[in-house]
Amino acid sequence: GESVGLHLPTLSVQEGDNSIINCAYSNSASDYFIWYKQESGKGPQFIIDIRSNMDKRQGQRVTVLLNKTVKHLSLQIAATQPGDSAVYFCAVSTGGGNKLTFGTGTQLKVEL
Amino acid sequence: EPEVTQTPSHQVTQMGQEVILRCVPISNHLYFYWYRQILGQKVEFLVSFYNNEISEKSEIFDDQFSVERPDGSNFTLKIRSTKLEDSAMYFCASSELLQGRGYTFGSGTRLTVV
């Protein structure tokens, strides 16, 4: 099976700083990775995804880095804003399938 | 932006009762899913549905659970005889492609079994 874990349950950053949220996965056959943001009372909101044939992907203010050697995934948020405060989950899919295995989530707190 | 719509937002039911959670996936999506999240825990996969049949299900998805796409727009999750431990947020999701972009979640139904 697959297990997915995040390194820190809570991350506090100052507004304007960069945030890095990390995730580790166990299955080397994992081939698709998604970062989700979840605000209180809402469903997971897609942020960015990456496939296993890539090491890096950039979006608007976000970058996902994938290190398949150590089975590690990170989400970088540039110039963190108060609106970025939420729980962030990584989710992993394996073997071309469509089932997502979620990590436990990191609560990002942005301090003014 | 297209949304996955779930109703009701909150459902309270007595133990042993049947509940049906409803979802309207994004219209051009082909794959449909149910996940659940017990309070304070991670989101867990329940079932995926494609071409009018279950394509994969987890150990959680036992005989008490069933899914149905009764018409061209709705996707439902039925729990036949609810237990206290079924209390959770239930999220519906849909995607256009297998492992594709647009894997979109609804806002969830909070099920409380008393």
Side-chain angles (χ1 to χ4, degrees), chain A residues 27-46:
Chain A
N27 192 337
S28 56
S30 296
D31 53 7
Y32 181 56
F33 309 85
I34 310 177
W35 280 101
Y36 284 96
K37 172 185 180 183
Q38 187 177 29
E39 295 172 296
S40 181
K42 297 185 179 180
Q45 177 187 353
F46 177 95

Side-chain angles (χ1 to χ4, degrees), chain A residues 27-109:
Chain A
N27 192 337
S28 56
S30 296
D31 53 7
Y32 181 56
F33 309 85
I34 310 177
W35 280 101
Y36 284 96
K37 172 185 180 183
Q38 187 177 29
E39 295 172 296
S40 181
K42 297 185 179 180
Q45 177 187 353
F46 177 95
I47 302 173
I48 192 167
D49 61 354
I50 189 168
R51 297 187 189 281
S52 58
N53 60 352
M54 301 175 69
D55 297 323
K56 179 180 179 179
R57 192 149 192 245
Q58 287 185 291
Q60 188 176 12
R61 281 203 306 120
V62 294
T63 301
V64 55
L65 298 177
L66 176 63
N67 185 331
K68 295 180 289 293
T69 302
V70 295
K71 296 195 281 288
H72 182 270
L73 185 72
S74 69
L75 175 71
Q76 299 178 1
I77 305 173
T80 313
Q81 302 169 359
D84 296 326
S85 294
V87 178
Y88 289 80
F89 294 94
C90 65
V92 175
S93 177
T94 301
N98 55 358
K99 163 190 168 184
L100 293 179
T101 299
F102 278 76
T104 50
T106 291
Q107 173 80 55
L108 176 65
K109 297 182 179 180

Side-chain angles (χ1 to χ4, degrees), chain A residues 3-5 31-32 34 36 38 41-46 48-49 51 57 89 93-105, chain B residues 31 33 35 37 40-45 48-50 55-56 58 89 91 95 97-108 110:
Chain A
S3 69
V4 180
D31 53 7
Y32 181 56
I34 310 177
Y36 284 96
Q38 187 177 29
K42 297 185 179 180
Q45 177 187 353
F46 177 95
I48 192 167
D49 61 354
R51 297 187 189 281
R57 192 149 192 245
F89 294 94
S93 177
T94 301
N98 55 358
K99 163 190 168 184
L100 293 179
T101 299
F102 278 76
T104 50
Chain B
Y31 297 85
Y33 316 90
Y35 287 78
Q37 185 178 30
Q41 298 186 22
K42 64 174 74 175
V43 178
E44 300 174 289
F45 172 81
S48 60
F49 191 87
Y50 171 71
S55 52
E56 189 171 0
S58 71
M89 281 289 287
F91 294 107
S95 69
L97 301 170
L98 193 63
Q99 278 198 357
R101 287 194 135 189
Y103 202 125
T104 305
F105 283 77
S107 294
R110 177 169 298 285

